């Protein structure tokens, strides 16, 4: 056998039914559909309205969708990774619960937290387990119930985020397909610009922190935008340069769906035409850990075996990076 590479062999997704449109937000905060659309590209976002359901519900639904589509026996899954910024509980593992609920009885599991880079960093982690030869099937899920940490009286953040989940299955490949290269970065000086201030060891929960709304997402929009625009574009260009790729070699850019202007800047830096850029931000907003797999789900039927894909993401912390992956199957063909 040749060198083992880690390829995506199946995709699944789930978004809640409820659509929170820009028009609805106009009745909640001081904003307009035109303002939101012009600055972000978002028209609506999905919200999980059931207060008794958390991120695990979204993750389970996405995993079940993948399992159903691919006829996967969950007992064959070796590892379940859940990337999330909104775990069900602060201590108990969300991934362990998800694995149990989907019947992955032989898998171990763990959560990942790198904000909006969760899924990207998770791809790197899943690939290492496959490339080691020790594990054959790794299920990677990106899921977030962002509505649970948003202040819907604060217009700068509540317009951006939505709820959703996506999942992919990584398996060994011997044709040279799958993950080819990665360039992952982080910079802790950025944590002041995008954070939830309370609820951690630095500022434990108290009556005061709740009263002062310290448990909601805070974002310094201008600073985050500035960092994201330059860094997402830089790493995408870097991965192309390292692999001697030109814009003609790239079939698809799969960018984190934070802001259409950031996506456009990354595509422009790569000299890609709009038809090569996956985008669904207008439908879902920023689903944090779920943006990349939701794109794969929405565009799956357009993907062809051997396609060159470049993933790029940017998240709080700061965390960011890019991954170059060769697609392993024809999306319009049920047989993988």
């Amino acid at each position: 056998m040749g060198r083992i590479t880690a390829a995506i062999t199946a995709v699944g997704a789930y978004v809640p039914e409820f659509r929170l449109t820009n028009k609805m937000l106009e009745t909640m905060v001081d904003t307009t559909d035109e303002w939101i659309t012009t600055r972000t590209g978002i028209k609506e976002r999905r919200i999980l309205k059931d207060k008794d359901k958390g991120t695990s519900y979204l993750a389970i639904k996405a995993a079940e969708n993948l399992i159903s589509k691919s006829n996967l026996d969950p007992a064959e899954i070796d590892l379940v990774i859940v990337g999330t910024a909104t775990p069900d509980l602060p201590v108990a593992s969300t991934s362990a619960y998800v694995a149990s609920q989907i019947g992955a009885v032989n898998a171990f599991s763990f959560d990942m937290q790198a904000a909006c880079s969760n899924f990207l960093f998770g791809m790197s982690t899943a690939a290492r387990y496959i490339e080691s030869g020790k594990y054959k099937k790794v299920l990677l899920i990106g899921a977030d119930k962002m509505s649970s940490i948003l202040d819907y009286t604060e217009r700068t953040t509540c317009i951006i985020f939505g709820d959703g989940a996506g999942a992919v299955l990584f398996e060994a490949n011997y044709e040279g397909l799958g993950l080819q290269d990665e360039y992952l970065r982080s910079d802790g000086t950025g944590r002041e610009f995008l954070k939830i201030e309370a609820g951690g060891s630095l500022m434990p929960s108290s009556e005061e922190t709740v009263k002062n709304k310290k448990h909601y997402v805070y974002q310094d929009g201008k600073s985050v935008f500035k960092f994201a625009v330059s860094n997402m574009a830089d790493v995408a260009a870097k991965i192309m340069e390292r692999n001697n790729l030109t814009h003609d070699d790239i079939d698809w850019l799969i960018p984190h769906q934070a802001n259409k202007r950031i996506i456009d800047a990354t595509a422009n830096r790569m000299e890609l035409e709009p038809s090569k850029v996956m985008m669904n931000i207008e439908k879902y907003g920023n689903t944090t850990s779920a943006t990349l797999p939701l794109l794969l789900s929405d565009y799956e039927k357009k993907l062809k075996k051997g396609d060159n894909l470049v993933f790029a993401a940017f998240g709080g912390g700061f965390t960011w990076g890019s991954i170059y992956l060769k697609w392993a199957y024809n999306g319009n063909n049920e047989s993988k």
Side-chain angles (χ1 to χ4, degrees):
M1 286 189 177
R3 182 175 70 93
I4 298 174
T5 52
I8 293 173
T9 59
V11 175
Y14 176 78
V15 290
E17 291 183 9
F18 182 79
R19 289 175 165 86
L20 179 59
T21 66
N22 291 349
K23 288 294 184 183
M24 292 177 184
L25 282 170
E26 287 181 352
T27 68
M28 299 164 62
V29 290
D30 182 16
T31 191
T32 65
D33 173 50
E34 181 185 9
W35 192 92
I36 297 170
T37 304
T38 302
R39 285 161 178 78
T40 69
I42 302 168
K43 297 297 289 185
E44 62 183 35
R45 63 291 291 148
R46 301 297 186 95
I47 304 296
L48 182 58
K49 299 288 283 185
D50 193 332
K51 293 180 180 179
D52 295 324
K53 291 184 171 69
T55 293
S56 64
Y57 175 80
L58 301 168
I60 290 164
K61 285 291 199 180
E64 288 175 343
N65 178 242
L66 181 150
I67 290 166
S68 173
K69 284 170 56 181
S70 61
N71 296 313
L72 172 67
D73 179 358
E76 294 180 355
I77 299 171
D78 299 303
L79 165 62
V80 176
I81 304 171
V82 174
T84 184
T86 56
D88 283 5
L89 303 168
V91 175
S93 169
T94 300
S95 60
Y97 180 72
V98 170
S100 296
Q101 292 300 302
I102 64 173
V105 293
N106 295 310
F108 74 103
S109 57
F110 58 84
D111 295 354
M112 288 194 68
Q113 217 301 49
C116 292
S117 300
N118 276 335
F119 192 83
L120 189 82
F121 287 13
M123 289 175 66
S124 171
T125 306
R128 299 295 89 79
Y129 279 101
I130 294 295
E131 290 165 356
S132 74
K134 189 172 180 61
Y135 302 101
K136 299 184 184 306
K137 297 181 189 294
V138 176
L139 181 65
L140 171 63
I141 306 169
D144 272 303
K145 185 182 178 182
M146 292 302 294
S147 61
S148 67
I149 55 172
L150 294 177
D151 177 2
Y152 282 97
T153 67
E154 208 287 294
R155 67 175 182 174
T156 60
T157 52
C158 74
I159 65 168
I160 297 169
F161 296 98
D163 303 337
V168 301
L169 183 69
F170 274 94
E171 295 184 89
N173 183 276
Y174 300 94
E175 302 175 86
L177 303 172
L179 199 148
Q180 305 294 306
D181 194 16
E182 62 187 44
Y183 187 64
L184 309 179
R185 310 293 296 156
S186 61
D187 181 357
T189 62
R191 79 172 182 172
E192 292 305 308
F193 302 114
L194 181 53
K195 62 183 177 180
I196 294 177
E197 198 164 4
S201 59
L202 193 61
M203 187 184 293
S205 303
S206 67
E207 184 178 346
E208 196 71 14
T209 63
V210 173
K211 186 174 78 172
N212 292 324
K213 298 185 175 183
K214 297 291 187 180
H215 296 267
Y216 293 122
V217 170
Y218 163 78
Q219 176 172 273
D220 179 339
K222 289 183 179 179
S223 297
V224 173
F225 181 83
K226 179 182 175 183
F227 273 85
V229 163
S230 60
N231 285 316
M232 249 180 75
D234 284 349
V235 291
K238 179 79 170 180
I239 208 82
M240 290 176 67
E241 179 186 342
R242 283 185 9 170
N243 292 276
N244 298 313
L245 298 169
T246 70
H247 63 274
D248 291 327
D249 299 317
I250 304 299
D251 294 291
W252 294 100
L253 168 65
I254 300 92
H256 173 54
Q257 305 288 289
N259 185 299
K260 187 177 183 298
R261 290 182 292 169
I262 298 172
I263 297 168
D264 290 342
T266 303
N268 289 338
R269 179 73 177 277
M270 299 169 70
E271 299 182 352
L272 290 182
E273 55 194 62
S275 62
K276 289 186 172 185
V277 181
M278 293 188 185
M279 201 177 313
N280 58 16
I281 190 170
E282 73 282 355
K283 296 193 297 182
Y284 307 132
N286 182 353
T287 54
T288 304
S289 307
T291 62
L292 301 184
L294 281 176
L295 284 170
L296 290 178
S297 177
D298 280 0
Y299 284 81
E300 184 182 15
K301 290 184 179 179
K302 295 185 178 183
L303 292 170
K304 298 180 179 64
K305 185 175 181 178
D307 276 356
N308 287 321
L309 277 54
V310 172
F311 294 78
F314 183 91
F318 288 131
T319 61
W320 71 98
S322 184
I323 282 177
Y324 166 38
L325 178 140
K326 281 185 173 291
W327 195 249
Y329 64 92
N330 292 319
N332 59 1
N333 188 345
E334 289 300 322
S335 61
K336 304 286 194 286

